[in-house]
Amino acid sequence: MRALIASGAGRYGDPWHPFAGTSERLAAVLREAGFDVEIDDDVDAAMRRLGDVDLLAVNAGDPWRDDPGDGGVDPASVAGFDAALRRGIGVLALHSAVSSLRDYPAWGAAIGALWLPGVSHHPPHGRTRIDIVGDADRLRDFELDDERYCRLQPIGQRTIIAQHGGDGRPEPAAWTTRRGDARIAVDALGHDDRSYDSPGHRALIAHLARWAARAD
């Protein structure tokens, strides 16, 4: 199985998320799960070469952070992602990917939730418990040091796999959904390397990746 990690850099980078480091940690998890992994730090270029990719993992930030809606995406990149969805590619969206790929019309509907500026937020980074709530064999509740997203905007139907305590009410931490023949898994955790130090989190990532790529 081939996995391609689209890693945040350039307009997909930001001051808060060390994408180069977390993409390397993600790659290690995916290799242990049976994937042949490549990292591409040109997110838009990655979307043009998905033809033989089994799993697209997006670990990238908000391209509209400094210049909302700049329209700077090659239409071939959008077409490449859309074609991959139609053929049934697996997708794994990590953490800030819920605010990424805003120039790709199919992205928000595909991943099942988006960061909504002015509404979505996160409590201070810290130790938190993640409860497994979905039907995920061999996964167990775990703790980790991470950033917890709250009040994301849900879009369409999804199956919650894990949740955290949020800011007073349970919030989804991971979920799965489908777009036609494509399987999409979202892990809203993964702010920095500390998140990947958790064995429970690594097990969750591997489970989501293998489900999305139909290797489960």
Side-chain angles (χ1 to χ4, degrees), residues 92-182:
L92 176 63
L94 281 302
H95 195 56
S96 59
V98 296
S99 66
S100 197
L101 296 185
R102 295 193 187 271
D103 297 300
Y104 290 74
W107 180 249
I111 64 172
L114 286 176
W115 178 276
L116 190 61
V119 175
S120 303
H121 65 282
H122 58 78
H125 191 294
R127 194 74 176 171
T128 189
R129 176 185 172 89
I130 304 299
D131 295 315
I132 302 300
V133 297
D135 183 15
D137 291 342
R138 297 182 298 279
L139 292 182
R140 299 290 182 266
D141 300 343
F142 60 93
E143 292 188 354
L144 80 172
D145 290 299
D146 213 331
E147 189 175 73
R148 295 160 289 155
Y149 285 169
C150 301
R151 299 185 187 273
L152 299 175
Q153 173 63 59
I155 303 172
Q157 300 296 314
R158 55 182 175 163
T159 299
I160 306 301
I161 301 297
Q163 65 185 22
H164 58 78
D167 58 355
R169 68 175 190 179
E171 295 274 1
W175 60 88
T176 60
T177 186
R178 299 172 188 257
R179 178 89 170 171
D181 291 332

Side-chain angles (χ1 to χ4, degrees), residues 16-31:
W16 310 290
H17 299 98
F19 292 117
T22 53
S23 290
E24 289 290 350
R25 296 294 299 273
L26 173 61
V29 174
L30 295 180
R31 290 186 182 107

Side-chain angles (χ1 to χ4, degrees), residues 80-94:
F81 176 67
D82 290 347
L85 281 183
R86 287 194 299 272
R87 73 167 173 83
I89 193 173
V91 176
L92 176 63
L94 281 302

